[in-house]
Amino acid sequence: MQEKFGIDGIEIGCLTEDKIIDEQALKRLLDAAGEMNVTFHLAFDEISDQEKALETLLSYKQIQRVMTSGADKSALNGIPHIKKLLRRMKDKDIILIGTKGLKPENLQAFLSVTPVKEIRIGSGVRVNCQYTKPLDPRSVKAAKETMNKQK
């Protein structure tokens, strides 16, 4: 699939009605993904026992990243929980991605207090921070510059 469509990776997430990882669905999706890089998406923030969920995700080598806002409405509000998860994942082979509510104006503040190495910005780099609007080149550039300073 990777070569056929030119796709390097996918973002997936599957939970049961009880808000735990649906491992049967996850296995099927990972089988279909083949050798692609896999990120477990923000469904992670719906899970009540995230530490246990991380242990589950770590058992799947294809899953390289987990997106989270620290189980909060924004990654800034979720900083304490994100830091706790990062401590728990120390020396583990998975990357935690900060997301939700991040934009160029608050990105440095977020990065200065969390050891997160990757972020995802959605509406924060769009015109008027509205998801339905086009990307704002100045915002994209500002976010990229902030991330480059972290390297």
Side-chain angles (χ1 to χ4, degrees), residues 46-150:
E46 300 297 317
I47 299 169
S48 58
D49 188 347
Q50 291 185 334
E51 291 181 30
K52 182 178 178 183
L54 276 175
E55 293 302 321
T56 299
L57 294 175
L58 282 165
S59 68
Y60 296 96
K61 293 178 185 173
Q62 279 173 275
I63 299 176
Q64 298 175 340
R65 293 169 174 78
V66 176
M67 294 175 63
T68 186
S69 294
D72 211 306
K73 292 180 182 180
S74 80
L76 291 171
N77 293 342
I79 286 172
H81 189 64
I82 290 171
K83 289 169 88 171
K84 178 182 175 185
L85 291 172
L86 286 166
R87 282 190 302 273
R88 173 92 172 168
M89 293 170 44
K90 188 179 180 189
D91 302 321
K92 302 288 184 187
D93 203 20
I94 200 165
I95 298 167
L96 198 65
I97 300 176
T99 187
K100 252 177 150 178
L102 296 176
K103 52 189 172 184
E105 296 81 24
N106 63 24
L107 187 55
Q108 182 59 48
F110 176 76
L111 294 171
S112 69
V113 295
T114 63
V116 169
K117 301 288 185 232
E118 295 184 21
I119 52 112
R120 176 195 162 271
I121 300 179
S123 59
V125 290
R126 294 185 176 272
V127 173
N128 298 326
C129 291
Q130 293 182 12
Y131 196 76
T132 58
K133 299 289 184 182
L135 289 172
D136 179 347
R138 290 176 298 188
S139 292
V140 172
K141 181 180 178 186
K144 186 175 180 179
E145 288 172 353
T146 300
M147 287 303 293
N148 285 338
K149 288 178 190 174
Q150 297 298 309

